[in-house]
């Protein structure tokens, strides 16, 4: 019975809309016959307004090409910031950008009650147009209630326009924008920490000083943090050409993360993540547990710049130091690359090249490389981790202190040369 009533309601509603459509169609087809004046006053005028805002240089993320006769000047200006400053200065501070998200992402719903965020942007002698395009894009494309403030940290810039002129400009914006100045050149990390310490929002977002946020950039990131306050999140980062300022969609087949030296890197999304998401690319790629690089120890906050990431206010990294009992030296990647031998060096406890991780998959991992032995008595080399165990599986016995390469099934004797101390280490950052 109830179902019947429900159907009736649906039918009636549909009918009403069909009638409205017919009416509108009739009205506008009638209007085709009207005089030109009336015609122009309606839709075309609206269309003109829309297209005008999409016509300026770089609008909709299009490339800006500098005419031949200005190329010399362009090359001169390029040197100032190592990008095409002339093109950047031609583009509106609030230029429009395409929405390159997957359709499934455009229609996704997020909780109403998301944590709010402070945006921290560090700059050093940044160009006016790129810096303010960053600021405008944040204000323009973030839900207002989620934004607490923007904190600009000036890492001892020398350019005049970044002083009083910038202060006056940001005062006119509709969002509180504060400018902190480092007394001397301190580097990105110190400047970010200074900015972070001054924030009032629940989540801290770090952005580069020359990026542009697109519509819907913020909500999914904050939604992950709402789900899990210890989440460290990072979006897909698209690319803005340094030559033409064209907006180019990036791949969703890579993910951003930290290597074991806490440098930000892009990695290909592994098959197991594709499987876990069952082909739904609107779901986040997740990493944790076994290969988790950094464990946050206190209040987690957010961030993601061009080299996107979220970081905690204070955090630490846990790793394993692998010390040989006889030589007392530590396994050290010696800064070598893939396919090269792993080395040994005096243990220094400072992380760096001695940061290894004995994972739940029983790999011995340094950054995205794993120790790999392909033949008995062969050298131990570093290869991309494949998570297939095999040549990269080592069985650690914490009693006997043996680290057995299972695949090559060696005769393990109890000599001290074959004993290893796996020590848990913590570095704060
Ligand atoms: C940018 O700002 C100008 C001036 O306020 C405005 O006319 C224009 O429509 C804006 N463009 C976009 C894409 O919002
Ligand atoms: C941010 O959210 C917290 C918790 O809901 C609230 O107390 C605070 O007032 C919010 N800040 C702003 C500026 O909205
Ligand atoms: C144990 O192995 C080491 C190195 O492979 C070798 O030099 C040593 O002689 C072996 N010791 C015994 C008791 O077999
Ligand atoms: C090192 O840490 C791992 C996991 O974090 C833990 O299971 C193990 O017991 C620790 N080992 C020592 C010696 O503390």
């Amino acid at each position: 019975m109830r179902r019947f009533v429900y159907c009736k309601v649906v039918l009636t509603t549909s009918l009403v809309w069909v009638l409205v459509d017919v009416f509108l169609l009739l009205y506008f087809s009638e209007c085709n016959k009207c005089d030109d004046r009336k015609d122009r006053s309606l839709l075309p005028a609206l269309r003109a307004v829309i297209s005008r805002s999409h016509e300026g240089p770089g609008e909709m993320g299009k490339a800006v090409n500098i005419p031949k006769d200005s190329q010399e000047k362009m090359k001169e200006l390029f040197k100032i910031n190592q990008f095409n400053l002339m093109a950047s200065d031609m583009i509106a501070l609030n230029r429009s950008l395409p929405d390159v998200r997957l359709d499934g992402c455009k229609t996704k719903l997020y909780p109403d009650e998301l944590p709010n965020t402070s945006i921290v942007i560090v700059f050093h002698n940044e160009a006016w147009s790129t810096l303010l395009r960053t600021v405008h894009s944040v204000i323009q494309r973030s839900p207002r209630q989620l934004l607490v403030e923007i904190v600009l940290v000036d890492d001892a810039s020398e350019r005049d326009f970044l002083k009083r002129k910038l202060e006056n400009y940001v005062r006119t914006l509709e969002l509180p924008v504060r400018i902190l100045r480092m007394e001397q050149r301190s580097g990105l990390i110190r400047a970010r920490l200074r900015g972070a310490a001054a924030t009032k929002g629940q989540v801290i977002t770090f952005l580069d000083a020359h990026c542009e946020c697109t519509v819907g950039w913020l909500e999914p990131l904050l939604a992950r943090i709402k789900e899990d306050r210890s989440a460290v999140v990072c979006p897909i980062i698209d690319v803005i050409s340094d030559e033409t300022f064209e907006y180019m969609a990036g791949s969703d087949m890579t993910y951003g993360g930290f290597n074991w030296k806490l440098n930000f890197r892009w990695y290909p999304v592994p098959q197991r993540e594709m499987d876990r998401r069952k082909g739904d690319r609107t779901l986040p790629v997740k990493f944790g547990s076994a290969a988790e690089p950094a464990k946050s120890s206190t209040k987690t906050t957010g961030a993601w710049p061009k080299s996107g990431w979220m970081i905690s206010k204070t955090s630490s990294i846990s790793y394993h130091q692998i010390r040989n009992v006889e030589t007392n030296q530590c396994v050290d990647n010696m800064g070598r690359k893939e396919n090269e031998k792993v080395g040994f060096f005096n243990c220094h406890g400072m992380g760096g090249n001695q940061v290894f991780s004995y994972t739940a998959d029983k790999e011995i991992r340094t950054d995205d490389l794993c120790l790999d032995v392909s033949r008995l008595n062969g050298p131990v080399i570093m290869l991309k981790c494949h998570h297939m165990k095999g040549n990269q599986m080592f069985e650690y016995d914490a009693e006997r202190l043996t680290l057995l390469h299972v695949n090559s099934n060696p005769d393990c004797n109890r000599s001290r040369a074959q004993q290893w101390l796996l020590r848990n280490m913590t570095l704060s950052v």
Side-chain angles (χ1 to χ4, degrees):
M1 187 62 201
R2 187 178 288 164
R3 197 185 166 84
F4 179 64
V5 172
Y6 178 70
C7 285
K8 245 176 30 183
V9 170
V10 170
L11 271 178
T12 319
T13 324
S14 312
L15 207 65
V16 168
W17 280 112
V18 167
L19 285 177
V20 168
D21 285 349
V22 168
F23 172 77
L24 282 175
L25 271 175
L26 283 177
Y27 179 82
F28 280 106
S29 47
E30 268 303 292
C31 207
N32 284 340
K33 289 174 222 141
C34 302
D35 59 349
D36 279 348
R37 216 158 39 97
K38 192 168 179 189
D39 189 28
R40 248 187 244 118
S41 67
L42 268 155
L43 284 179
L46 200 66
R47 224 174 274 136
V49 169
I50 292 168
S51 67
R52 205 176 304 133
S53 68
H54 288 178
E55 262 167 17
E59 290 296 333
M60 289 313 280
K62 288 206 192 72
V64 174
N65 293 306
I66 304 294
K68 281 236 158 56
D69 55 355
S70 305
Q71 296 265 330
E72 278 309 308
K73 184 105 194 357
M74 178 195 81
K75 283 182 191 146
E76 269 310 299
L77 291 171
F78 198 101
K79 292 180 195 149
I80 302 178
N81 290 88
Q82 295 309 313
F83 54 69
N84 191 340
L85 184 57
M86 184 179 262
S88 178
D89 285 350
M90 287 165 69
I91 300 170
L93 296 180
N94 62 348
R95 78 151 153 182
S96 49
L97 289 176
D99 185 351
V100 298
R101 292 174 297 170
L102 294 173
D103 283 337
C105 294
K106 293 180 188 169
T107 51
K108 218 158 225 204
L109 293 177
Y110 294 100
D112 291 332
E113 295 276 301
L114 290 173
N116 55 32
T117 181
S118 299
I119 314 279
V120 175
I121 300 171
V122 172
F123 64 93
H124 172 76
N125 287 344
E126 187 63 46
W128 179 264
S129 50
T130 44
L131 178 62
L132 286 164
R133 208 173 301 116
T134 307
V135 169
H136 276 282
S137 77
V138 168
I139 298 176
Q140 222 171 327
R141 306 210 176 83
S142 316
R144 179 64 187 85
Q145 76 277 10
L146 299 181
L147 283 185
V148 175
E149 65 198 335
I150 296 178
V151 177
L152 296 175
V153 186
D154 174 11
D155 191 7
S157 301
E158 289 121 21
R159 300 193 179 148
D160 248 2
F161 59 80
L162 294 171
K163 304 271 160 33
R164 182 63 63 81
K165 184 179 173 197
L166 181 63
E167 283 162 24
N168 290 338
Y169 186 89
V170 300
R171 229 172 269 140
T172 66
L173 299 171
E174 62 212 78
L175 184 79
V177 179
R178 284 188 286 152
I179 303 177
L180 307 179
R181 312 246 186 217
M182 303 301 279
E183 258 136 48
Q184 57 186 46
R185 188 82 200 270
S186 309
L188 187 61
I189 299 301
R190 271 190 217 110
R192 276 190 180 153
L193 291 176
R194 166 91 183 274
T199 55
K200 302 190 187 113
Q202 296 170 295
V203 169
I204 306 173
T205 304
F206 295 102
L207 286 182
D208 267 14
H210 35 254
C211 59
E212 295 171 53
C213 305
T214 51
V215 64
W217 75 286
L218 184 59
E219 298 90 325
L221 298 171
L222 294 176
R224 308 296 164 229
I225 293 176
K226 182 187 164 78
E227 281 164 24
D228 175 0
R229 291 283 300 178
S230 68
V232 173
V233 300
C234 167
I236 294 170
I237 312 280
D238 296 330
V239 173
I240 299 170
S241 160
D242 56 349
E243 299 272 349
T244 65
F245 276 77
E246 181 180 8
Y247 186 97
M248 299 178 285
S251 163
D252 68 346
M253 302 306 277
T254 56
Y255 72 96
F258 293 102
N259 66 13
W260 297 100
K261 290 175 206 154
L262 279 190
N263 293 322
F264 186 83
R265 299 250 319 246
W266 292 106
Y267 300 96
V269 174
Q271 188 60 42
R272 76 185 134 94
E273 267 304 295
M274 315 274 241
D275 297 344
R276 187 188 61 80
R277 298 192 298 172
K278 298 194 176 69
D280 183 354
R281 283 153 60 197
T282 71
L283 293 179
V285 173
K286 281 192 183 174
F287 294 89
S289 59
E292 182 178 41
K295 287 213 175 73
S296 71
S297 51
T298 53
K299 180 182 171 190
T300 302
T301 48
W304 51 106
K306 194 176 97 202
S307 45
W309 46 303
M310 304 195 91
I311 201 169
S312 34
K313 263 192 175 162
T314 50
S315 61
S316 56
I317 173 171
S318 315
Y319 70 96
H320 291 119
Q321 183 196 60
I322 308 170
R323 182 193 291 260
N324 185 277
V325 172
E326 185 176 80
T327 65
N328 225 6
Q329 286 199 318
C330 279
V331 179
D332 190 308
N333 67 34
M334 311 297 273
R336 291 177 189 151
K337 295 189 198 66
E338 182 177 7
N339 248 323
E340 298 187 88
K341 278 200 267 186
V342 73
F344 296 94
F345 200 77
N346 293 340
C347 304
H348 51 57
M350 309 273 287
N353 293 341
Q354 296 181 0
V355 170
F356 283 80
S357 160
Y358 183 57
T359 69
D361 284 343
K362 305 196 168 166
E363 306 151 326
I364 300 173
R365 189 173 166 144
T366 170
D367 193 359
D368 57 344
L369 301 179
C370 280
L371 298 195
D372 190 298
V373 183
S374 52
R375 58 196 156 86
L376 189 59
N377 300 325
V380 181
I381 58 170
M382 300 181 286
L383 287 181
K384 279 261 149 56
C385 300
H386 53 49
H387 311 296
M388 310 283 283
K389 302 192 188 285
N391 289 345
Q392 299 185 351
M393 183 165 81
F394 294 82
E395 194 82 56
Y396 185 64
D397 183 332
E399 301 256 302
R400 300 174 175 199
L401 303 182
T402 51
L403 201 47
L404 193 68
H405 186 252
V406 184
N407 231 23
S408 56
N409 193 20
D411 296 322
C412 207
N413 67 29
R414 290 273 204 121
S415 82
R416 286 161 60 80
Q418 303 263 7
Q419 290 188 316
W420 306 91
L421 280 166
L422 235 71
R423 191 164 150 215
N424 287 349
M425 307 284 285
T426 304
L427 277 181
S428 6
V429 280

